[in-house]
Amino acid sequence: MSTDGLPETFDVVVHPARELRGELRAQPSKNYTTRYLLAAALAPGETRVVGVATSEDAHAMLRCLADWGAGITHIGDDVVVRGFGASPRPGVTLNPGNAGAVARFLMGVAALTTGTTFVTDYPDSLGRRPQGDLLEALSRLGARVESEDGRLPLSISGPVRGGAVEVSAERSSQYASALMFLAPLLPGGLDLHLTGDIKSHAPLRQTLDTLEAFGVRASASDDLSRISVPGGQRYRPGRVLVPGDYPGSAAILAAAALLPGEVRLSNLREHDLQGEREALDVLREMGADLTRAGDAVTVRGGRPLHAVTRDGDGFTDAVQALSAAAALAGGTTTWENVATLRLKECDRISDTRRELQRLGLEVSETADSLSITGAPRLAGDVTADGHGDHRMIMLLTLLGLKADAPVRITGAHHIRKSYPQFFGHLEALGARFDYLPTERH
């Protein structure tokens, strides 16, 4: 058994639900947790990170930081980090598991060492995701990089010089964020020029926000194509509070919109830099009865929903959850400008199309869009493939709650990557699941 009381590996059977009703506190943000933990390790002295996420990504970051020499102490839901400052332990092999952002952030910081090797025990997921744009930028700064076609396993050695450098933001904003974490600790800092069609502005702003929270000065153009971080700075230790998680909460709110009942979700800051906050506006546009009072959002569910067409780049990690709403909305919903979904734990465009078609829905795709024609009902009584992807598992779970018969989702334990309490939270609202142990493979 895992620490959450569920089998270590399992499929889940989702039973149709009549309603969802109750109150929940949103889990801590995965994206802010990993950023705060890394910044805390880069700060000399002790930092208390309050309300840390318990996701696999958070565990991966903590494990790698400890391997690099950070002191890690758990106090309830908080983590106290004793930082290594600008001197991570050299000659270390880091395994970030399947955490892509964690791996990339650490790759940037690895240029402070005389040699760090990165491996993964997920060769068919993280091992296939491209890192070349970041590695090229580090090489231009003077780092020695060894990899096979820009993918893990790979090694990075410093020292690097500061100054001006270009990095492509066409595939991911995480490459630029990695360099931003490195920049203040270089004597010359970094003047970053982000090239290409910049994807996911919101995570870049979260990184800038994190630097500011730790006393690091940085400036950026309005379009984020130019980011300057002066060198010779130090991260300032202290105390930071992790906000609630909008990407995971989007799934809870979408479920609440689809089913009769009333769900109140707290710990969601109104003025927040997470792009997935836009999911609330999308659900409202689709016809959901969604209201806010302070940091709490209430959804009165069961109202008819209708299709929308939206640029999904700003809320990438909520597209899967909102696709569940689209699958039961009148008309055809299209998510545009979402090509980066193809570079996640699975291909979240093609694989989503296939799984929704398995459920009897009409779905089409282009290179950078996904279109879903809603159906008045879903038959269920199928086995769907979770594709080892936490966001896909959320989407399929929501559809199972609305189907006429149970839906089995394979590899449902991968939900732990970002939202370990997902099934438990839905159960608290009235959902019912069966957990079927499986062999790890």
Side-chain angles (χ1 to χ4, degrees), residues 277-286 290 310:
R277 183 169 60 91
E278 191 178 342
L280 278 64
D281 297 331
V282 177
L283 287 170
R284 285 195 191 98
E285 185 180 346
M286 297 181 83
L290 186 150
R310 297 286 290 240

Coordinates of all heavy atoms in Angstrom, one line a residue, residues 277-286 290 310:
R277 N -6.1 29.9 -13.8 CA -7.2 30.6 -13.2 C -8.3 31.0 -14.3 O -9.5 31.2 -14.0 CB -6.7 31.9 -12.6 CG -7.7 32.8 -11.9 CD -7.0 33.9 -11.0 NE -6.1 34.7 -11.8 CZ -6.5 35.9 -12.4 NH1 -7.8 36.3 -12.2 NH2 -5.7 36.6 -13.1
E278 N -7.8 31.1 -15.5 CA -8.8 31.4 -16.6 C -9.8 30.3 -16.8 O -10.9 30.5 -17.4 CB -8.0 31.5 -17.9 CG -8.8 32.1 -19.1 CD -7.9 32.3 -20.3 OE1 -6.7 32.3 -20.2 OE2 -8.5 32.4 -21.4
A279 N -9.6 29.1 -16.2 CA -10.6 28.0 -16.3 C -11.9 28.5 -15.8 O -13.0 28.0 -16.2 CB -10.1 26.8 -15.6
L280 N -11.9 29.3 -14.8 CA -13.2 29.8 -14.2 C -13.9 30.6 -15.2 O -15.2 30.4 -15.3 CB -12.9 30.7 -12.9 CG -12.6 29.9 -11.6 CD1 -11.4 29.1 -11.7 CD2 -12.6 30.9 -10.5
D281 N -13.3 31.5 -16.0 CA -13.9 32.3 -17.0 C -14.5 31.4 -18.1 O -15.5 31.6 -18.6 CB -12.9 33.3 -17.6 CG -12.5 34.3 -16.6 OD1 -13.3 34.6 -15.6 OD2 -11.3 34.8 -16.7
V282 N -13.7 30.3 -18.5 CA -14.1 29.4 -19.5 C -15.4 28.7 -19.1 O -16.4 28.6 -19.9 CB -13.0 28.4 -19.9 CG1 -13.5 27.4 -20.9 CG2 -11.8 29.1 -20.4
L283 N -15.4 28.2 -17.8 CA -16.6 27.5 -17.4 C -17.8 28.4 -17.3 O -19.0 28.1 -17.7 CB -16.4 26.9 -16.0 CG -15.5 25.7 -15.9 CD1 -15.1 25.3 -14.5 CD2 -16.1 24.5 -16.6
R284 N -17.6 29.7 -16.9 CA -18.7 30.7 -16.9 C -19.2 30.9 -18.3 O -20.4 30.9 -18.6 CB -18.3 32.0 -16.3 CG -18.1 32.0 -14.8 CD -18.0 33.5 -14.3 NE -17.6 33.5 -12.9 CZ -16.3 33.7 -12.5 NH1 -15.4 33.9 -13.4 NH2 -16.1 33.8 -11.2
E285 N -18.3 31.0 -19.3 CA -18.7 31.2 -20.7 C -19.5 30.0 -21.2 O -20.4 30.2 -22.0 CB -17.5 31.5 -21.6 CG -17.8 31.8 -23.0 CD -16.6 32.1 -23.9 OE1 -15.5 32.3 -23.3 OE2 -16.8 32.1 -25.1
M286 N -19.2 28.9 -20.7 CA -19.9 27.7 -21.1 C -21.3 27.5 -20.5 O -22.0 26.7 -20.9 CB -19.0 26.4 -20.8 CG -17.7 26.3 -21.6 SD -16.8 24.9 -21.2 CE -17.5 23.7 -22.3
L290 N -21.1 29.7 -11.6 CA -19.9 29.8 -10.8 C -19.7 31.2 -10.2 O -19.7 32.2 -10.9 CB -18.7 29.4 -11.7 CG -17.3 29.2 -11.1 CD1 -16.5 28.2 -11.9 CD2 -16.6 30.6 -11.1
R310 N -11.7 28.8 -27.7 CA -10.7 29.6 -26.9 C -9.3 29.2 -27.2 O -9.0 28.1 -27.6 CB -10.9 29.3 -25.4 CG -12.3 29.6 -24.8 CD -12.4 31.1 -24.6 NE -11.6 31.6 -23.5 CZ -12.0 32.2 -22.4 NH1 -13.4 32.4 -22.2 NH2 -11.2 32.7 -21.5

